[in-house]
Amino acid sequence: LSKPDGALVTAGQWQQFVDDTLTPAFPYGLTILHADGQYADAEGSHREPSRVVLLLYPREQAAEANTKINAAIARYVRQFHQESVLRADSQQNASLVGPPAQ
């Protein structure tokens, strides 16, 4: 959430990004985790508040999801003047489990 000028992306700016970019691209849902990030560069180690966006989608939708993810990252980088955004991908099996049948 750090900007090059030392300011942070505000809660309102982040929520607007979620509302305008992430929610329309992933209308079936996503999870956002608040995190404490840390990275190192030529000037040393830096800590910053971060957000982790967790997206789950069927494997057969991977190509479409990849396009949407890349577009969201590009918009975030542009909008908030970021040097980079970390992206990690993993294939997992997941399911939604409801209450037992009566």
Side-chain angles (χ1 to χ4, degrees):
L1 297 175
S2 295
K3 296 180 186 178
D5 65 2
L8 294 176
V9 175
T10 67
Q13 290 171 321
W14 170 254
Q15 190 58 55
Q16 194 68 50
F17 178 78
V18 171
D19 293 345
D20 293 348
T21 303
L22 297 179
T23 299
F26 301 98
Y28 296 110
L30 52 94
T31 299
I32 298 171
L33 307 173
H34 293 234
D36 294 318
Q38 182 173 308
Y39 67 95
D41 62 15
E43 297 174 8
S45 183
H46 308 275
R47 294 179 183 208
E48 65 179 319
S50 301
R51 297 293 176 266
V52 177
V53 179
L54 178 62
L55 301 165
L56 300 176
Y57 48 84
R59 286 188 180 131
E60 60 271 10
Q61 294 177 10
E64 178 184 357
N66 184 59
T67 299
K68 291 178 179 181
I69 293 166
N70 286 337
I73 289 171
R75 184 169 183 186
Y76 186 85
V77 166
R78 216 174 29 254
Q79 185 172 343
F80 299 112
H81 312 288
Q82 298 296 294
E83 186 175 306
S84 62
V85 170
L86 174 65
R87 177 179 174 175
D89 295 283
S90 178
Q91 291 187 9
Q92 302 294 323
N93 293 320
S95 61
L96 295 172
V97 180
Q102 298 285 325

